[in-house]
């Protein structure tokens, strides 16, 4: 295996005092040439117009993850100062950091602490749903506090069951906003929604925004419905596929180019040696939330998140099987072959499982169902699995009660209507697939990594 040293010169446009200037960022790095395929690397600093001179170096992908670097491991003080429009380090730099317990490097160090060691002054920490430690339950208010280690004020961006916008009081003294959150890969997980609100505020108050990019744990598949206009909410804040196949940095670029009315002075620090097929190397940096504690739970969440909005399902919340199982209370009578039949049906579409029985602390009942053994999220279609479980249950006579949030999280009422027998599968497939195709074509210029997301079309035939 030969090693090639490459110099990546980035020419980035920044806006300072109403004028635009060019500067060059020299990033020297080595990449390994190996037998499997080419891998496009981009160190991105994307500016207001999304037309920044941005050069990608095309080299062979690395065979070892030891050279993989997160955006937070790539960023330097010079890049932070440049993004803020400052040419030198003399006057200091004050930032606001949007992060939580997932904002760590591969050595487990908080990005918050690493930036402070670089001499960056962090005036405020802004936190999403679940709080700075990721321990606040879903939909519960996150309160303002202080970071125990540093004493830095922690400002909540979630309350009253929805996101909260950043305001002028919290932004006026900041030179730059820096965003780093580990996403789950699903649109209805609200860290994406927090990103969107942060971008709106950055645009409104003319604050540059830097994204320290992280992997998508669900890898490259892109599938499922987009969001119908009347269903926009905090769990469906922008019309992207329910399983989007993109990183936070790529989503930010897409929002800036195609969704936001006022553009952001946006800077994305891309990962180095990242191949979309590898997903998230190693383990999660920390639990994403009280119930989303592992990569395997993220894989399950890709279809169980929506199933959790349908009664009488139990998806194991409050147990060791959280978001890795589906079950019914034993008070719901089903045929004796019910779970075996469902397991066989799901096995045909790439999802393996085994029988499970547990006590549900939420329902205070014994439940019986399936525990999913999911090792690779690229081996199954989350949307197909969701539809298969729902239609199987409906045909078996299980009374399904959809929550008010289901249509919003799905992005469409047509899925629920199809399951209930009020909408045809052919029409659902046509709507979903046409929207997916249009989105993919529009989003192409926002992609930073290879391979590009793989569009998974929904079959108009029952599988």
């Amino acid at each position: 295996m030969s090693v090639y040293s490459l110099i990546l010169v980035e020419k980035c446009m920044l806006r300072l005092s109403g004028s635009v200037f060019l500067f060059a960022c020299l990033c020297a790095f080595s990449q390994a040439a190996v037998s499997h395929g080419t891998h496009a690397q981009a160190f991105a600093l994307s500016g207001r117009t999304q037309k920044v001179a941005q050069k990608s170096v095309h080299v062979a992908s690395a065979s070892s993850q030891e050279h993989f670097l997160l955006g937070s491991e790539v960023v330097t003080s010079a890049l932070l100062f440049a993004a803020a429009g400052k040419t030198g380090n003399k006057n200091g730099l004050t930032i606001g950091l949007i992060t939580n317990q997932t904002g760590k490097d591969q050595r487990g160090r908080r990005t918050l602490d690493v930036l402070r060691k670089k001499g960056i002054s962090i005036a405020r920490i802004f936190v999403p749903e679940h709080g700075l430690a990721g321990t606040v339950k879903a939909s519960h208010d996150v309160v303002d506090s202080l970071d125990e280690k540093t004493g830095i004020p922690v400002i909540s961006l979630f309350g009253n069951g929805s996101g909260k916008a950043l305001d002028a009081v919290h932004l006026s003294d900041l030179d730059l906003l820096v965003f780093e959150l580990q996403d789950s890969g699903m649109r209805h997980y609200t860290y994406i929604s927090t990103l969107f609100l942060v971008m709106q505020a950055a645009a409104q108050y003319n604050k540059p925004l830097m994204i320290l990019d992280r992997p998508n744990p669900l890898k490259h598949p892109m599938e499922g419905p987009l969001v119908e206009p009347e269903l926009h909410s905090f769990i469906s804040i922008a019309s992207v596929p329910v399983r989007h196949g993109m990183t936070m940095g790529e989503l930010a670029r897409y929002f800036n180019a195609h969704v936001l009315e006022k553009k952001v002075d946006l800077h994305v620090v891309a990962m180095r040696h990242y191949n979309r097929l590898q997903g998230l190397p190693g383990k999660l940096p920390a639990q994403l939330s009280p119930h989303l504690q592992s990569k395997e739970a993220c894989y399950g969440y890709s279809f169980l998140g929506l199933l959790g909005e349908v009664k009488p399902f139990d998806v194991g919340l409050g147990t060791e099987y959280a978001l890795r199982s589906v079950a019914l209370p034993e008070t719901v009578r089903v045929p004796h072959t019910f779970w075996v039949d469902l397991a066989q049906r799901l096995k045909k579409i790439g999802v393996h499982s085994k029988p499970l029985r547990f006590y549900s602390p939420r329902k205070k009942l014994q439940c019986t169902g399936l525990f999913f053994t999911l090792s690779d999220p690229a081996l199954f279609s989350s949307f197909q699995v969701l539809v298969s479980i729902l239609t199987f249950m409906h045909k078996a006579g299980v009374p399904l009660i959809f929550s008010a949030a289901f249509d919003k999280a799905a992005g469409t009422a047509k899925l629920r209507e199809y399951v209930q027998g009020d909408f045809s599968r052919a029409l659902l497939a046509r709507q979903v697939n046409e929207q997916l195709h249009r989105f993919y074509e529009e989003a192409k210029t926002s992609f930073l990594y290879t391979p590009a997301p793989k569009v998974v079309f929904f079959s108009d035939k029952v599988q």
Side-chain angles (χ1 to χ4, degrees), residues 161-162 186-190 193 225-242 305-306 309 402-416:
S162 188
M186 298 300 290
R187 181 194 62 228
H188 47 71
Y189 200 71
T190 60
S193 305
L226 275 68
V227 182
E228 296 172 2
E230 67 275 13
L231 291 173
H232 281 275
S233 71
F234 192 60
I235 56 172
S236 51
I237 204 159
S239 193
V240 301
V242 68
L306 272 165
E309 297 296 333
F402 293 81
S403 76
F406 182 88
D407 290 354
K408 293 177 182 178
T412 179
K414 302 298 188 297
L415 170 58
R416 172 180 51 79

Side-chain angles (χ1 to χ4, degrees), residues 4 31-41 57-63 273:
Y4 301 90
Q31 294 184 311
V34 294
S35 59
H36 42 274
T38 22
H39 181 195
Q41 292 294 335
V57 179
H58 296 269
V59 297
S61 59
S63 62
H273 298 280

Side-chain angles (χ1 to χ4, degrees), residues 209-463:
L209 172 64
M210 175 178 280
I211 312 295
L212 305 180
D213 213 6
R214 302 188 69 95
N216 184 327
L218 298 184
K219 298 189 175 180
H220 60 299
M222 174 184 286
E223 58 172 325
L226 275 68
V227 182
E228 296 172 2
E230 67 275 13
L231 291 173
H232 281 275
S233 71
F234 192 60
I235 56 172
S236 51
I237 204 159
S239 193
V240 301
V242 68
R243 180 177 175 180
H244 50 75
M246 299 167 70
T247 67
M248 284 288 209
E250 292 173 323
L251 285 169
R253 285 163 57 88
Y254 177 79
F255 292 157
N256 213 30
H258 301 289
V259 183
L260 294 177
E261 293 183 7
K262 184 178 181 181
K263 306 304 180 187
V264 183
D265 182 4
L266 178 65
H267 308 266
V268 174
V269 183
M271 293 171 283
R272 192 175 293 172
H273 298 280
Y274 176 66
N275 185 312
R276 204 182 304 270
L277 296 179
Q278 77 188 46
L280 176 65
K283 298 179 180 180
L284 288 176
Q287 66 177 36
L288 300 193
S289 66
H291 299 305
L292 209 51
Q293 299 183 354
S294 66
K295 285 200 301 185
E296 292 75 20
C298 288
Y299 305 162
Y301 179 75
S302 69
F303 55 91
L304 294 171
L306 272 165
L307 277 180
E309 297 296 333
V310 185
K311 292 181 179 179
F313 293 130
D314 193 296
V315 294
L317 302 186
T319 77
E320 61 186 296
Y321 312 111
L323 297 171
R324 301 182 67 184
S325 61
V326 63
L328 291 172
E330 293 182 352
T331 53
V332 178
R333 302 300 179 186
V334 295
H336 70 280
T337 61
F338 181 86
W339 293 110
V340 172
D341 293 343
L342 178 59
Q344 291 177 346
R345 180 173 182 171
L346 296 179
K347 184 177 179 180
K348 292 178 181 179
I349 54 176
V351 173
H352 296 264
S353 60
K354 56 186 179 182
L356 177 66
R357 186 172 187 262
F358 64 91
Y359 178 78
S360 169
R362 294 163 68 90
K363 290 184 168 59
K364 301 187 187 307
L365 293 168
Q366 285 293 139
C367 293
T368 299
L370 299 175
F371 177 78
F372 298 108
T373 53
L374 306 171
S375 59
D376 186 346
L379 297 180
F380 62 87
S381 160
S382 301
F383 189 63
Q384 177 63 52
V385 174
L386 170 67
V387 172
S388 293
I389 295 174
L390 286 171
T391 53
F392 179 87
M393 295 286 177
H394 179 72
K395 290 178 180 177
V398 176
L400 302 181
I401 303 172
F402 293 81
S403 76
F406 182 88
D407 290 354
K408 293 177 182 178
T412 179
K414 302 298 188 297
L415 170 58
R416 172 180 51 79
E417 292 170 0
Y418 163 64
V419 173
Q420 294 172 331
D422 300 325
F423 196 73
S424 77
R425 187 182 180 102
L427 288 177
L428 176 64
R430 185 170 71 180
Q431 173 180 304
V432 168
N433 295 340
E434 287 178 355
Q435 290 176 347
L436 269 174
H437 176 72
R438 286 197 299 268
F439 176 85
Y440 181 85
E441 292 300 316
E442 188 175 64
K444 276 182 178 179
T445 56
S446 301
F447 301 154
L448 290 171
Y449 311 101
T450 58
K454 177 185 177 182
V455 177
V456 180
F457 291 117
F458 180 57
S459 174
D460 60 1
K461 296 180 174 57
V462 177
Q463 297 180 343

Side-chain angles (χ1 to χ4, degrees), residues 125 127 141-146 153-158 164 170:
I125 303 166
V127 296
D141 288 354
V142 175
V143 299
D144 294 351
S145 61
L146 296 175
V154 176
I155 308 301
S156 168
L157 297 182
F158 188 85
K164 299 193 298 187
H170 294 135

Side-chain angles (χ1 to χ4, degrees), residues 46-58:
S46 49
R48 289 180 63 89
T49 63
Q50 292 291 311
K51 295 181 180 179
V52 176
Q54 187 170 256
K55 299 182 180 180
S56 296
V57 179
H58 296 269

